[in-house]
Structure formats: structure tokens, C-alpha cells
């Protein structure tokens, strides 16, 4: 296999030895439309070191890539930056096959790995800021708790100035090109934002801490090498993603308003259309997303840089529709902030859905600007005019919030 | 004394500050916080906290 699956040289002494997963589409609720990569890196220092591994079914691919540059037996150290199984799944096989001198992880990493696997060796716990001498090279570890899990840490390679950032700064994008600048810019930007929105949005306070730590460490960074998707190597790409993370963690609102809804017989969809007309007339950039047509993870991505959220559902069996329960559960966990908000929906006789959605918005701490807008059965011309006005009002509140 | 760290996320509980937003008055020793109190940062349970020297 090593003649087919080869390591990709990053520097003479650093290789990418990960795996490409073209097929994956469901990533614990996140639609990975463009597949992904599981990145592992090999540092050919005096102490040969493997940084992270790949998802278990791809172990053979990783071993083949390693074997294309070095006999796996020669690897001295394995570093586990993140215990989640898409990065640790091949760790038991790696330990078995390589028999490394030591395996390193953060304190919480050692604990998490111990709960995942029955490993044949102890994990050596590294502390925040600890530097490991690899002979011809040095690496330093920095804890980045909750970016993405309690165990998450990043590893900095001094000589080549590479920051191995596990899930942080990553994206789900399959491809043979290893650098972000080799892809269509719009795709890279979208997938980076989608990754942040779906994986990290609710962890903003931890992102801030990690960015602050990076600032304090004042590292010279020539590359950001995450565990998913391409590496960033240009100054523009490196500064760009750090700035994007700072912007997203603040969730600064914009003039975009996302209307998320589901409809039974088209009435709530008609309301959404009229609300969209009002939002647009009121100066907002409206985006309508029917849950019969859109995926929850694309909704979250749109909300990441929005300033308003309007949410609607027909009342079915005295509650919201199942697709709305899905998206509100998912979105609620990701804790969107700084949004002007409103709820709406059509109903037949009881009409709980808009009220329940209004409560959901309120509980999230969003700026709910009006009573829920309800229409009995089918909206007539007067109802649609009210919907339009509802949209205008939410547009005004959204734009006003930008001036605060 | 009186400081406990959340092993999960690194949040530090200080007795002198308490967690008034979540019903823990200033000056409450860690041991006397209700068992159903959770880390205000990450939601981890009280048993995930360790004393901080």
C-alpha cells in the first residue's frame, strides 16, 4: 500500500500522513457536503514524532503513508492533541504497531483516552506550556480547553513554526491539495465558517481564551495545520482565520436576517414569503430557509453572521413541527447571540407553535421584538400585509442593533 | 483557599466571589454549594471540580 498511499511532504522533516474521506456526509448532525480529511503529521526529528492519528477505518491509509517515508517502528513519540475518535480512532492500532517510547496528551486527554480505549501503555501527561525536546527539534504544548473538548491542546513545532491545532481552525473539505490557497477561496471561506458555526459557536468564551493565549505566546507561525481540511501557509490565510475566529466569537450582528420555518399546507411558507418581503423592504438582507429544503447545519452557518432570526412553524398536534424541533434543539445548543428575533406560524384551532417558538427565543436570551404572529388556517391579503409589516419591524430592530 | 477549578473547562470558583447569577451567594464555601449547581462556563457537574492550591 505504501507505493499507492504516500506521505505528502510539507518540509524535508515534516510530512502529512493523514487520510481523505470523500464519502462522509453526516458528522454528528453536521452535513459535511464536501467530505473531510483526518490529518496526522509526522515530524522526522531525532525523536520521530507522530502528531494525532486518523479515524479507525482509515488506519491502513495512515500506516501506508507513514511507511512511504519511514519505517513505522522508528517512531518514538505519539502526540494526541484531541481524544475525539476521528483523531484517536487509530491510536490503539498505532500503539500496537509502532510500540512508541511514549504517548503524550493533556491531563484531560489522558483521562478521555483511558475511557475510550484499553491501551497497552500509559499516557504521559504534558502540562500547559511544557516543551518537549525531540533532539533536532522542539515542540511546545498549549492547552486549549473546550476548543473543542476538555482535552484539546495545540502543539507548536519551533523549527518549522507550525501550529498543529487539532479541531480549531479546521474545516471539512476532502481533497488531494494540502493547502488552503490551492482551493477556491469561496469554498474555503464557507467551509471554515460552517465548521466554526457547527462545532465551536457555543464555545465562544473558550475561543477568546485560546486566541488570548496565542497572543500572549507571541509565536511566529508559518503554518496552521488543523486536524481537518487543508493547511494554511500564507500570511493572509493565517491572519485571516485568526481574525475570523475573533469576529465570530464576538458574534457581531450584521444586517442579515434568517427566516427559518416549516409549513404543513403552505400557509406558514406564505407567511415566511411575506415576512421576507418586509425584511427586504426594511433594508435587511433576508434569507429564507425552509426546513423541508435546508439542512440544520446550513441554517446555523447562515446565523453565524446574521443580525436577526425569525422562526416559524405551523401548529401540529398542539406543538411545533418535528423539523422545527430538530433545528431548534441543534441551534439552541450552539447558543446564537446578538440577534433581533420574532416567531410566527399558521394554525387551525389551538396555535401553540408560535408561542412555543417565542419562548424558545426568549429562553435563548435573544432580543425578541414583537408578540408572536399567528394566522388562522390560510393567510388572506390583510394577514400577508401584517406579515410584511412584521418583517419591516424586525428589519428596523436588526439595523438599529448595529448602531448600538 | 476557597478556590476550586473546573477540570473540564478551567473555570475557577472563588468563594469570595460566589456565583450570584446562579444562586450562589458571595462567600459560600465550595462544599456548601448545592449539589445540583453546575459550572457556569461549561455545564459540568460539581464533582468535576478540584481544589486549587
Amino acid at each position: 500500500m505504501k507505493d499507492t498511499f504516500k506521505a505528502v511532504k510539507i518540509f524535508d522533516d515534516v510530512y502529512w500522513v493523514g487520510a481523505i474521506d470523500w464519502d462522509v456526509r453526516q458528522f454528528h448532525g453536521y452535513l459535511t457536503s464536501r467530505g473531510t480529511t483526518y490529518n496526522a503529521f509526522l515530524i522526522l526529528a531525532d525523536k520521530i514524532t507522530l502528531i494525532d492519528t486518523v479515524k479507525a477505518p482509515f488506519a491502513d491509509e495512515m500506516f501506508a503513508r507513514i511507511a512511504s517515508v519511514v519505517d513505522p517502528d522508528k517512531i518514538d513519540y505519539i502526540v494526541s492533541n484531541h481524544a475525539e475518535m476521528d483523531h484517536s480512532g487509530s491510536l490503539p492500532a498505532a500503539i500496537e504497531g509502532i510500540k512508541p517510547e511514549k504517548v503524550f496528551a493533556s491531563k484531560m486527554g489522558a483521562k478521555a483516552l483511558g475511557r475510550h480505549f484499553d491501551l497497552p501503555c500509559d499516557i504521559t501527561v504534558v502540562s500547559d506550556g511544557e516543551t518537549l525536546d525531540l533532539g533536532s527539534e522542539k515542540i511546545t504544548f498549549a492547552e486549549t480547553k473546550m476548543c473543542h473538548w476538555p482535552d484539546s491542546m495545540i502543539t507548536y513545532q519551533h523549527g518549522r513554526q507550525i501550529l498543529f491545532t487539532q479541531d480549531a481552525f479546521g474545516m471539512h473539505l476532502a481533497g488531494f491539495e494540502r493547502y488552503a490557497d490551492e482551493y477556491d477561496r469561496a469554498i474555503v471561506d464557507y467551509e471554515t465558517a460552517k465548521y466554526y458555526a457547527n462545532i465551536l459557536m457555543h464555545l465562544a468564551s473558550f475561543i477568546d481564551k485560546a486566541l488570548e493565549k496565542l497572543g500572549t505566546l507571541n509565536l511566529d507561525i508559518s503554518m496552521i495545520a488543523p486536524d481537518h481540511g487543508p493547511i494554511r501557509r500564507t500570511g493572509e490565510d493565517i491572519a485571516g482565520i485568526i481574525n475570523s475566529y475573533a469576529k465570530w466569537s464576538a458574534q457581531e450582528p450584521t444586517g442579515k436576517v434568517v427566516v427559518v420555518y416549516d409549513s404543513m399546507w403552505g400557509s406558514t411558507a406564505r407567511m415566511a414569503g411575506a415576512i421576507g418581503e418586509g425584511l427586504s423592504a426594511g433594508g435587511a438582507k433576508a434569507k429564507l430557509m425552509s426546513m423541508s429544503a435546508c439542512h440544520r447545519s446550513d441554517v446555523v452557518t447562515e446565523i453565524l453572521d446574521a443580525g436577526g432570526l425569525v422562526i416559524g412553524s405551523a401548529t401540529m398536534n398542539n406543538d411545533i413541527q418535528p423539523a422545527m424541533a430538530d433545528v431548534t434543539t441543534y441551534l439552541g445548543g450552539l447558543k446564537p447571540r446578538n440577534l433581533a428575533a420574532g416567531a410566527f406560524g399558521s394554525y387551525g384551532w389551538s396555535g401553540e407553535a408560535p408561542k412555543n417558538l417565542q419562548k424558545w427565543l426568549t429562553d435563548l436570551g435573544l432580543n425578541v421584538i414583537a408578540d408572536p404572529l399567528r394566522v388562522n388556517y390560510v393567510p388572506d391579503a390583510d394577514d400577508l400585509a401584517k406579515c410584511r409589516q412584521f418583517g419591516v419591524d424586525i428589519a428596523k430592530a436588526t439595523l438599529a442593533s448595529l448602531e448600538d | 483557599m476557597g478556590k476550586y477549578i473546573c477540570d473540564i473547562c478551567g473555570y475557577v470558583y472563588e468563594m469570595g466571589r460566589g456565583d450570584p447569577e446562579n444562586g450562589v451567594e458571595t462567600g459560600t464555601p465550595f462544599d456548601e454549594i448545592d449539589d445540583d449547581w453546575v459550572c457556569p462556563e461549561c455545564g459540568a457537574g460539581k464533582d468535576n471540580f478540584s481544589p486549587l492550591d
Side-chain angles (χ1 to χ4, degrees):
Chain A
M1 261 177 95
K2 68 179 181 183
D3 297 327
T4 303
F5 294 92
K6 291 188 176 286
V8 178
K9 187 198 280 191
I10 297 170
F11 289 107
D12 285 343
D13 53 353
V14 184
Y15 285 81
W16 176 84
V17 291
I20 307 171
D21 188 347
W22 291 93
D23 298 343
V24 66
R25 290 294 179 273
Q26 285 296 337
F27 214 100
H28 50 62
Y30 170 172
L31 178 71
T32 49
S33 311
R34 294 186 168 96
T36 195
T37 65
Y38 311 108
N39 299 335
F41 301 93
L42 195 61
I43 301 174
L44 299 179
D46 292 339
K47 291 286 187 186
I48 298 177
T49 303
L50 177 65
I51 309 274
D52 289 324
T53 70
V54 300
K55 197 172 168 180
F58 295 87
D60 288 351
E61 187 175 327
M62 178 186 75
F63 280 120
R65 293 189 200 280
I66 292 170
S68 74
V69 285
V70 69
D71 180 349
D73 288 348
K74 300 267 193 314
I75 293 174
D76 300 285
Y77 296 155
I78 300 177
V79 173
S80 172
N81 278 326
H82 185 21
E84 199 168 7
M85 283 195 274
D86 45 342
H87 312 297
S88 69
S90 299
L91 184 63
I95 292 172
E96 186 90 8
I98 293 168
K99 299 193 173 47
E101 189 183 323
K102 282 185 176 173
V103 179
F104 299 95
S106 66
K107 178 183 159 196
M108 298 306 287
K111 197 171 162 185
L113 290 170
R115 290 296 306 166
H116 279 76
F117 310 109
D118 185 13
L119 297 174
C121 70
D122 291 333
I123 304 288
T124 305
V125 171
V126 292
S127 57
D128 188 24
E130 187 173 331
T131 295
L132 183 66
D133 193 348
L134 306 181
S136 51
E137 180 58 278
K138 275 185 191 149
I139 53 177
T140 294
F141 307 106
E143 281 188 351
T144 50
K145 284 189 168 194
M146 300 308 286
C147 307
H148 159 227
W149 277 9
D151 61 280
S152 293
M153 68 174 189
I154 57 179
T155 298
Y156 179 68
Q157 183 186 358
H158 289 260
R160 296 297 184 183
Q161 303 178 338
I162 305 173
L163 199 58
F164 298 101
T165 56
Q166 45 93 38
D167 276 348
F169 306 128
M171 78 187 82
H172 288 308
L173 177 59
F176 288 104
E177 293 71 33
R178 294 275 58 83
Y179 301 101
D181 54 88
E182 297 176 294
Y183 289 86
D184 183 306
R185 172 58 43 191
I187 290 174
V188 166
D189 288 348
Y190 183 79
E191 293 301 339
T192 303
K194 186 173 185 179
Y195 190 91
Y196 182 94
N198 282 274
I199 302 290
L200 300 168
M201 185 157 82
H202 59 306
L203 302 169
S205 65
F206 300 103
I207 297 292
D208 287 343
K209 279 184 199 168
L211 292 176
E212 197 183 321
K213 181 176 274 190
L214 277 181
T216 309
L217 290 171
N218 197 23
L219 306 170
D220 290 320
I221 301 171
S222 72
M223 284 188 191
I224 290 181
D227 273 356
H228 292 295
I231 297 166
R232 289 166 193 267
R233 63 178 171 184
T234 69
E236 189 187 347
D237 269 346
I238 292 166
I241 195 164
I242 291 173
N243 290 340
S244 291
Y245 268 48
K247 182 182 77 179
W248 291 328
S249 83
Q251 248 191 9
E252 287 168 16
T254 69
K256 177 166 78 173
V257 178
V258 185
V259 184
V260 183
Y261 61 95
D262 200 13
S263 197
M264 275 182 83
W265 295 107
S267 293
T268 301
R270 286 272 282 167
M271 293 177 74
I275 291 168
E277 291 288 329
L279 286 167
S280 183
K285 189 176 273 187
K287 178 108 185 175
L288 270 61
M289 302 187 89
S290 156
M291 292 318 296
S292 299
C294 299
H295 195 270
R296 66 178 88 80
S297 53
D298 290 316
V299 170
V300 171
T301 310
E302 288 295 340
I303 288 171
L304 177 62
D305 65 349
L309 170 64
V310 190
I311 192 151
S313 176
T315 296
M316 193 176 91
N317 307 337
N318 304 104
D319 208 335
I320 59 174
Q321 294 180 259
M324 296 311 297
D326 177 319
V327 73
T328 52
T329 299
Y330 189 72
L331 180 56
L334 290 166
K335 299 191 175 76
R337 293 172 291 140
N338 304 336
L339 300 167
F344 68 99
S346 138
Y347 70 101
W349 48 96
S350 59
E352 288 90 342
K355 294 181 202 166
N356 292 354
L357 290 174
Q358 181 97 346
K359 182 175 184 308
W360 177 80
L361 292 169
T362 307
D363 290 348
L364 269 179
L366 301 182
N367 176 24
V368 183
I369 65 120
D371 289 337
L373 181 63
R374 302 194 304 162
V375 166
N376 190 221
Y377 285 115
V378 177
D380 61 18
D382 285 348
D383 293 323
L384 290 174
K386 281 180 194 160
C387 289
R388 190 180 195 278
Q389 187 57 47
F390 189 74
V392 169
D393 293 345
I394 289 176
K396 281 183 185 163
T398 302
L399 297 176
S401 73
L402 307 186
E403 291 161 13
D404 291 345
Chain B
M1 283 297 286
K3 286 188 181 178
Y4 281 72
I5 187 164
C6 173
D7 290 332
I8 304 298
C9 74
Y11 164 83
V12 175
Y13 175 81
E14 291 180 43
M15 189 170 87
R17 204 167 59 190
D19 180 19
E21 287 179 16
N22 295 295
V24 180
E25 285 178 28
T26 303
T28 307
F30 188 80
D31 293 347
E32 291 176 22
I33 303 173
D34 286 348
D35 286 341
D36 59 1
W37 176 81
V38 296
C39 173
E41 284 279 351
C42 73
K46 200 181 158 187
D47 55 0
N48 288 293
F49 278 74
S50 307
L52 196 66
D53 297 329

